[in-house]
Amino acid sequence: MNAMRLAQTLASNPFFQFAKLGTVNKNSEEHLRLGFDSFLKNHIGTLHAGALFTVAQADAHSNLVHALEQHNPGWKVATYTSQIFYKRPAKGPVWVNTTAPTMDWEKRVAHTVSTLNSETDEPVAELHIEFRLIQGEL
């Protein structure tokens, strides 16, 4: 199911196609992957912070939307607040692992944590998101 969710995520947004997001199999699961293309690099030759944020946010949002569709149809993401912690420069491709969302239905929020990892599985950055949820149409 994760592979189908990721394929839908990649097809859903032209920017993801432009950034050449892909997938990689880690620990018998498919994860979003950001390559090390020259147009994604910053002035020091590592992956740009914005590119790292984008792939982590895409995975977190996709993960939450999938969980809502499976267990609470009709709920949607209205807005979100995020904080990212950059741990080390990304000197090569990265892959994302997002935790299952934790829900607080009383406050109408969901929380996710996405870890960006190097190909050698070292954490590069960690994105924390609080999504505000709404039932029905926006």
Side-chain angles (χ1 to χ4, degrees):
M1 182 57 79
N2 197 38
M4 185 186 316
R5 173 184 68 84
L6 293 178
Q8 290 171 340
T9 297
L10 293 174
S12 72
N13 188 315
F15 181 78
F16 300 157
Q17 295 160 24
F18 167 78
K20 299 181 183 176
L21 297 185
T23 61
V24 64
N25 191 296
K26 291 284 185 173
N27 305 319
S28 300
E29 290 185 21
E30 289 293 313
H31 297 272
L32 279 184
R33 178 185 183 274
L34 179 65
F36 197 60
D37 296 293
S38 61
F39 67 93
L40 297 172
K41 295 178 185 177
N42 59 24
H43 64 288
I44 61 171
T46 60
L47 285 174
H48 192 281
L52 294 170
F53 176 89
T54 298
V55 70
Q57 187 276 342
D59 196 58
H61 184 265
S62 172
N63 195 322
L64 175 59
V65 167
H66 179 72
L68 291 172
E69 288 171 351
Q70 296 297 308
H71 305 290
N72 300 89
W75 286 86
K76 296 184 178 5
V77 174
T79 61
Y80 68 88
T81 303
S82 63
Q83 188 171 21
I84 191 163
F85 303 92
Y86 296 100
K87 299 177 181 226
R88 65 179 44 90
K91 298 178 181 179
V94 297
W95 61 278
V96 185
N97 184 45
T98 299
T99 61
T102 57
M103 310 289 194
D104 183 335
W105 293 108
E106 189 174 307
K107 293 181 181 178
R108 295 182 175 211
V109 298
H111 296 91
T112 60
V113 176
S114 299
T115 304
L116 292 129
N117 301 286
S118 69
E119 289 190 315
T120 58
D121 300 334
E122 293 179 278
V124 171
E126 188 173 272
L127 176 66
H128 295 249
I129 301 181
E130 179 181 275
F131 292 95
R132 283 176 281 301
L133 306 173
I134 188 168
Q135 194 171 25
E137 295 301 313
L138 295 176

